[in-house]
Amino acid sequence: MMNKIITRDLNLWYGDFHALKKVNAAFQANRITAIIGPSGCGKSTLLRVFNRMNDFVEGVRTEGEVLIDDLNVLDPAADLVSLRKKIGMVFQRPNPFPLSIYENIVFGARIRGTRAKRGEMDEIVETSLRSVLLWNELKDKLRSSALRLSLEQEQRLCIARLIAVKPDVLLMDEPCSTLDPQATERIENLMRELKNNYTIVIVTHNMQQAARVSDDTGFMLLGELIEFNETKDIFSSPKDKRTEDYITGRYG
Amino acid sequence: MNPHRTQKIAFSLLFLATFLVVALVGAIVVIIVQKGLPAMTWQFISDVPREGMRAGGIFPAIIGTLLLVGGAIVFALPIGLLAAIYLSEYARDGLLTRIIKLAIVNLAGVPSVVYGLFGLALFVVFFKFGVSIVSGSLTLGIMILPLIITASREALESVPRSFREVSLSLGASKWQTIQHIVLPNAIPGILTGTILGLGRAAGETAPILFTVAAFYLPQLPRSIFDQVMALPYHLYVISTQVPNVDEKIRYGTALVLLALVLFMNLIAIIIRYKFRMKKKW
């Protein structure tokens, strides 16, 4: 198995608040890794280190290393534009742009300014929509507003928009928290399909979801990564007392 | 007194105050229309003033006002918009930013006659543009700059943060995000502010008094360094400086000016309304 993302002694502060404490972990390629833990434990913060979205928070400071394909992400000179093309993010709330379905998907191609031909654009739209299983539903209304879709369709569209940029890693920040159980199940199926081509890291509140969908799981508490292991081991025989307390529902 | 009665009295007062506002607007419109409508002929709109402005039309003044307003916007919109983008997207919240924002607020509070004197000193005299359309437009432009900056900033800042986040997370640079996501979604707000600025510029007398307005010039300008007549100043002239001008000519001029300003405000309202129907976040 190949390590895709490695963190070494990763520390992060928001002002005086120590949000990530000496996190050491290795996320493997073509697997789904879930990060679980109670609210405020730092799991979203960890996710947002990988594509440097924390940069927009005022007073944020990091130490340590995050290597993605042997490239130090935290290097101040790192090229954020190409980093973020490689490391895509799906947000908690589906957030399509107030544009047509078509324009949402080709957004990445448009900003790159490559005078992509009409045919190439069409192809990007079709493959991206096919990979999130929306093509058949939406192929006849590509020009209508993306804001008229259901929440599940919107979230799938957001994943399609991401895939169109051709990333390696998909970071998912509670992608199902606004969806009903059936929609959640379908998105999870989609994730299982996507992991053949992508490395997926998902942050979730929902332990059942982590148990269902992930191959590896990390448990975080108060900024520390308490335990990181294969999902089946974490849930059947946690090594740390705190992990056991959390997964048996004693807090969180 | 029991609370129910107090409430009733409060409501009545609130209603009365509101009604008074509406009644005032209505009264202005009714009086101007009633007294000005008899003057509304094709000749009044399309002819030059004749017989020492006691007859003929106000065509040069209409064209003059349109030119001045157009010139003001050509100058103020780009500068105002760029400043607004800088303030809302790039400037960090520090002492300097706060001073800039305070300066903009204060700029909006400067009396318009002071702008007029400033325009005279800077554009007419110092830059030697003379009493001309350029000087007048620039002066009006400076006057509406704070309005455009404030409206544009509000429009830019009302674009949801999540749009920017997604755009950046998809590998767009900050400038690309502004170009492709922030600006298109802010345009209706920016347009609204701009049009309100236009309306303000069209109606002001003091800033054009020393910088461009001609007392009596029954012809159209041939270059931007010419003087022009303008509606508000023309109205002032025929109301106070020229004896024996027929009342309907004065109110006719007022009606044209009022219609022009109200028409611009109407466009602003329509844009805002249409956008609100479309907006869904």
Side-chain angles (χ1 to χ4, degrees):
Chain A
M1 268 178 289
M2 196 185 94
N3 288 333
K4 186 76 185 173
I5 308 174
I6 300 167
T7 70
R8 286 196 190 125
D9 292 338
L10 174 64
N11 281 293
L12 183 144
W13 291 264
Y14 293 124
D16 293 333
F17 177 65
H18 199 174
L20 294 177
K21 298 172 187 163
K22 273 199 126 182
V23 174
N24 283 290
F27 299 80
Q28 275 149 14
N30 299 108
R31 283 166 80 87
I32 300 175
T33 305
I35 305 171
I36 59 171
S39 297
C41 70
K43 51 192 193 304
S44 283
T45 299
L46 179 61
L47 203 66
R48 282 161 175 263
V49 169
F50 298 154
N51 63 349
R52 293 269 301 264
M53 289 301 277
N54 284 325
D55 284 20
F56 304 111
V57 182
E58 213 130 314
V60 71
R61 193 159 55 84
T62 46
E63 256 175 27
E65 265 187 339
V66 174
L67 299 174
I68 298 182
D69 289 340
D70 297 323
L71 193 102
N72 188 8
V73 170
L74 298 183
D75 184 347
D79 175 5
L80 292 188
V81 167
S82 58
L83 171 74
R84 290 190 185 131
K85 268 179 210 159
K86 213 166 96 155
I87 318 292
M89 185 164 233
V90 178
F91 295 79
Q92 194 165 350
R93 294 200 129 267
N95 46 13
F97 295 125
L99 300 169
S100 69
I101 293 166
Y102 190 97
E103 285 301 320
N104 261 281
I105 296 173
V106 298
F107 176 77
R110 284 239 194 278
I111 54 164
R112 251 169 285 143
T114 41
R115 286 281 168 99
K117 296 190 186 62
R118 181 74 198 274
E120 289 169 40
M121 292 275 197
D122 289 350
E123 205 181 301
I124 292 175
V125 171
E126 182 169 349
T127 32
S128 308
L129 279 180
R130 274 194 197 285
S131 61
V132 296
L133 312 176
L134 270 183
W135 175 250
N136 289 330
E137 272 167 73
L138 299 186
K139 65 180 175 210
D140 296 323
K141 43 178 176 176
L142 295 176
R143 297 286 165 188
S144 66
S145 168
L147 299 181
R148 262 181 245 138
L149 301 174
S150 72
L151 275 176
E152 182 195 352
Q153 286 174 324
E154 281 188 6
Q155 194 62 302
R156 280 174 187 268
L157 178 67
C158 291
I159 299 174
R161 178 176 63 187
L162 193 54
I163 285 173
V165 184
K166 301 199 169 67
D168 301 346
V169 178
L170 303 182
L171 305 174
M172 299 188 163
D173 191 354
E174 311 214 24
C176 302
S177 62
T178 59
L179 304 181
D180 63 53
Q182 286 81 35
T184 299
E185 195 190 333
R186 289 191 293 265
I187 295 280
E188 286 173 5
N189 288 334
L190 175 62
M191 289 171 66
R192 288 188 195 97
E193 204 145 306
L194 290 174
K195 80 172 177 184
N196 297 320
N197 298 312
Y198 305 93
T199 303
I200 300 178
V201 183
I202 176 175
V203 157
T204 176
H205 248 86
N206 177 332
M207 268 180 292
Q208 288 77 29
Q209 179 169 55
R212 278 194 305 263
V213 80
S214 70
D215 304 300
D216 301 308
T217 296
F219 168 61
M220 290 187 71
L221 188 63
L222 301 172
E224 275 181 81
L225 182 65
I226 305 292
E227 197 167 340
F228 190 100
N229 211 332
E230 284 197 34
T231 301
K232 57 180 189 325
D233 295 332
I234 288 253
F235 282 92
S236 60
S237 50
K239 293 194 180 64
D240 195 289
K241 180 78 172 61
R242 290 167 292 182
T243 314
E244 189 182 339
D245 286 350
Y246 182 71
I247 60 178
T248 52
R250 235 160 278 171
Y251 58 89
Chain B
M1 222 191 296
N2 75 40
H4 187 69
R5 263 189 77 175
T6 322
Q7 171 166 298
K8 245 188 164 166
I9 293 172
F11 278 168
S12 317
L13 278 175
L14 295 175
F15 174 77
L16 211 69
T18 316
F19 176 76
L20 209 66
V21 174
V22 178
L24 274 173
V25 175
I28 292 173
V29 172
V30 166
I31 291 174
I32 302 281
V33 169
Q34 198 182 31
K35 296 196 173 187
L37 210 54
M40 285 306 122
T41 57
W42 176 243
Q43 194 207 6
F44 186 68
I45 305 276
S46 64
D47 196 10
V48 298
R50 293 177 194 281
E51 293 169 34
M53 295 182 265
R54 290 183 191 88
I58 54 167
F59 185 60
I62 297 176
I63 294 300
T65 286
L66 291 178
L67 283 173
L68 288 176
V69 166
I73 226 61
V74 165
F75 165 69
L77 182 59
I79 294 182
L81 184 55
L82 292 177
I85 293 175
Y86 175 76
L87 284 173
S88 74
E89 307 293 322
Y90 287 97
R92 289 184 173 251
D93 199 26
L95 186 66
L96 183 68
T97 317
R98 254 175 283 166
I99 291 174
I100 295 174
K101 287 177 181 170
L102 195 69
I104 292 168
V105 173
N106 279 306
L107 209 54
V110 173
S112 54
V113 68
V114 176
Y115 281 111
L117 276 175
F118 171 76
L120 173 67
L122 188 69
F123 302 124
V124 177
V125 177
F126 183 78
F127 283 125
K128 299 193 172 65
F129 293 151
V131 176
S132 64
I133 299 177
V134 183
S135 299
S137 292
L138 289 173
T139 309
L140 284 174
I142 291 180
M143 186 189 73
I144 60 172
L145 206 50
L147 215 104
I148 291 181
I149 294 178
T150 310
S152 304
R153 253 186 61 209
E154 271 168 26
L156 292 167
E157 280 163 15
S158 73
V159 176
R161 212 185 124 88
S162 69
F163 289 0
R164 297 160 210 258
E165 272 200 333
V166 194
S167 171
L168 293 164
S169 82
L170 287 167
S173 68
K174 192 159 183 173
W175 176 239
Q176 288 170 329
T177 301
I178 292 171
Q179 253 184 303
H180 287 90
I181 296 301
V182 180
L183 269 183
N185 285 296
I187 278 176
I190 294 168
L191 273 183
T192 311
T194 306
I195 295 170
L196 292 177
L198 285 178
R200 168 107 200 272
E204 282 286 346
T205 315
I208 58 172
L209 196 54
F210 323 116
T211 54
V212 53
F215 184 81
Y216 176 62
L217 189 67
Q219 64 187 36
L220 296 182
R222 258 159 292 160
S223 94
I224 53 170
F225 292 103
D226 283 352
Q227 277 187 275
V228 280
M229 298 181 82
L231 284 170
Y233 182 61
H234 181 64
L235 184 56
Y236 165 76
V237 166
I238 56 176
S239 304
T240 63
Q241 308 294 306
V242 183
N244 305 325
V245 178
D246 195 353
E247 188 188 67
K248 77 174 185 189
I249 290 190
R250 284 186 271 135
Y251 279 94
T253 307
L255 178 57
V256 171
L257 181 57
L258 189 70
L260 203 71
V261 173
L262 288 184
F263 178 68
M264 288 184 201
N265 289 356
L266 186 71
I267 293 177
I269 291 168
I270 292 172
I271 293 175
R272 213 164 19 181
Y273 176 76
K274 284 211 155 161
F275 185 61
R276 210 173 280 160
M277 301 299 292
K278 237 178 71 183
K279 181 161 119 173
K280 274 211 187 147
W281 62 81

